[in-house]
Amino acid sequence: MRIIYLLSLLASASIQSTNAQFDFPDCFPGQTQFNSTIVTSDYVTGYPLVCANGTFAPVCNGASVGYVGTVILCSQFNITSGYVGTPPNVTLAPLNENDISYTVTDLNCDYLTGCSNPMFSGDDCTNGYLSFTCPLSLCDGPEFSLYNNETTYINGTEVVTGIFGICQDGVLIGYCDDGSIFDGAAQLLCNGLGYLNGEQVASNSRLPLGAAYLTNFMCISTPYGPSNCTEGMLATNPACYNGSLDYTLRCSVRRASCDGYNVALNYNTTSIVNGTEYITGVPTQCNDGYIDALCNDGSITQDTTDFLCQSIGYLTGQLLMVNSTQYGTLPQGTAYYTNFTCPANALSLDDCGAILVQCPSAGSSMEVVLQCSRPYSVCEDGAVRFIDGSSGSYDSYDTRTETLSGSLQICVNGEYRYVCGLSNASFNASDIVAAACIQLGYVNSSSSYTNQYFYPSSNPVIESISCPYNGSHFSLCSINTTTDPNSCYDYDRVLGGTCNRITPACTRLFQMADRGTFNYINGTYVATGRIEACVNNVYYPVCTNGLNNTLSSPPPTYYQLDGVCNNVFYSGKI
């Protein structure tokens, strides 16, 4: 009986289920779509519909969308910006009010739940239905720019005024001037746009509809200017999106541009005095494509001048109290800085700090004139040469032999030094000469000793050379010098040698080889021989292979580089 009862319950449940009706919703919370949509290459526009009580409902005019709502409504088109209304001269087809069950009076969107909790009503919208446009792209220009800008010239100085905007992947972003932007922002932004001066001004224009806005653009003030700036956060204040709070700048004096160097001494002069090399000029730095210079207001320390000189390969520096105009005039628009200091552990100028100032105009006595110095170097360490000898070459039939001989010198600490010719020296003379010849591009070598009179006490000589392996460049070797006057048999015996190399050679474009008969006929010398042409500095036979008998620039395709010809070109006239 128990089993029969359970079966009867199942049967009744089955009968009830076949008679039940389920109303599936048309949408789910958070879903949005557009109605009466118009799609072009520039925008998508229509009536936004939001899921309310299981059905898509139009939004009433006057409902607050907000930036979050904008992102959600336009995201279905892969767009992140938009605005209420349609583009100019665009009219949407009216909605069919017979299909409307509910209307949305407030989207009520946020980052966590999206637009899943709208406020809705069963009544019609008394002020009509909200239309919305999602622009496909509001910008395609540089990342930072002034929009709706106007350029004027005051006393020859360029002044540009416009609304600051950021372009990222077609989305235009501006700053909302709601009191949350730090005071130095105008100067900082104009500097970044390539101008020396910047200020905030009022404006009657606005960014295009659909632009996003940031607020809370702040920087930490330091003795060296703004630092650790934050771009801000997306503005939620509706007033930021109606064009009344667009951040407008006036930038003036375009910065002087530069390319190709980091630090340099402009209009420099060089001199060598008592073994010390000097370079003097006006120091500048090319920073992000613009010229920066230093204002000579007494804020530059000795450590700073040394660091500047070391950055261009010198050891020490000093400021010269002279009028900088004798070293030329820096370009108009050069930015000047004061209080330029570098920490003790600074590795580059990027680790240093300075303050942008209004220094007197370029070419004034307030520009820094810097003199850097270092021991004079006539050569790079490890370089070699043979002096007080001879060099030359001679040609044979198809080769050229080049020779170089003399006393060997190796560069040590920027100076060429003789190599001591002691028979008991701590190096193999032939190996040293061979390595020197190879370093100079020669193949064969032989060593010798030459007499050279000099005083080691004032001109040190090399007494020992130790290289990591045979054939090393001498810059990799350990080289010691000495000033002992007895190091080279009373300073008159130094190491020398001879280098030579053999290379292919041509002395003319064409030549006659294997001459046969040679006659003088009617005032003309006539001979018979094989004609050869110089190809890649080597003579090869010129083959006829269908050529008429002429030497007027035979095509290279007829040069048989393997030296084999079907028909060798002979000529009887020279």
Side-chain angles (χ1 to χ4, degrees), residues 43 59 115 117 119 174 184 227 236 295 312 326-327 331 333 337 344 358 371 373 376 386 416-417 420 424 546 573:
Y43 59 82
V59 182
C115 298
N117 297 307
M119 297 179 63
S227 178
T236 58
C295 189
I312 60 173
Q326 63 180 293
Y327 294 97
Y337 289 82
Q358 295 292 331
Q371 184 178 79
S373 61
Y376 176 62
F386 288 89
Y416 279 111
R417 302 300 183 190
C420 181
N424 61 345
K573 184 177 180 180

Side-chain angles (χ1 to χ4, degrees), residues 39-62:
V39 180
T40 72
S41 59
D42 297 323
Y43 59 82
V44 178
T45 188
Y47 297 109
L49 305 179
V50 180
C51 188
N53 201 27
T55 185
F56 281 111
V59 182
C60 293
N61 263 329

Side-chain angles (χ1 to χ4, degrees), residues 505-512 515 532-535 537-539:
C506 292
T507 57
R508 64 185 69 180
L509 180 60
F510 297 103
Q511 73 172 12
M512 180 180 290
R515 290 180 178 177
E532 295 180 330
C534 182
V535 180
N537 216 24
V538 177
Y539 285 114

Side-chain angles (χ1 to χ4, degrees), residues 325-386:
T325 55
Q326 63 180 293
Y327 294 97
T329 301
L330 294 182
Q332 179 72 20
T334 298
Y336 289 88
Y337 289 82
T338 185
N339 289 344
F340 179 76
T341 57
C342 301
N345 59 348
L347 299 177
S348 70
L349 291 178
D350 293 335
D351 299 322
C352 305
I355 301 174
L356 183 66
V357 293
Q358 295 292 331
C359 200
S361 60
S364 73
S365 60
M366 291 298 291
E367 287 179 340
V368 168
V369 176
L370 179 64
Q371 184 178 79
C372 302
S373 61
R374 64 186 175 188
Y376 176 62
S377 175
V378 299
C379 55
E380 293 186 5
D381 285 358
V384 296
R385 67 179 182 181
F386 288 89

Side-chain angles (χ1 to χ4, degrees), residues 397-398 508-518 527-534 539-542 551 568-574:
Y397 169 65
D398 58 358
R508 64 185 69 180
L509 180 60
F510 297 103
Q511 73 172 12
M512 180 180 290
D514 300 332
R515 290 180 178 177
T517 59
F518 186 83
T528 301
R530 185 178 75 250
I531 302 301
E532 295 180 330
C534 182
Y539 285 114
Y540 293 96
V542 178
L551 276 180
V568 177
F569 182 26
Y570 282 84
S571 174
K573 184 177 180 180
I574 58 173

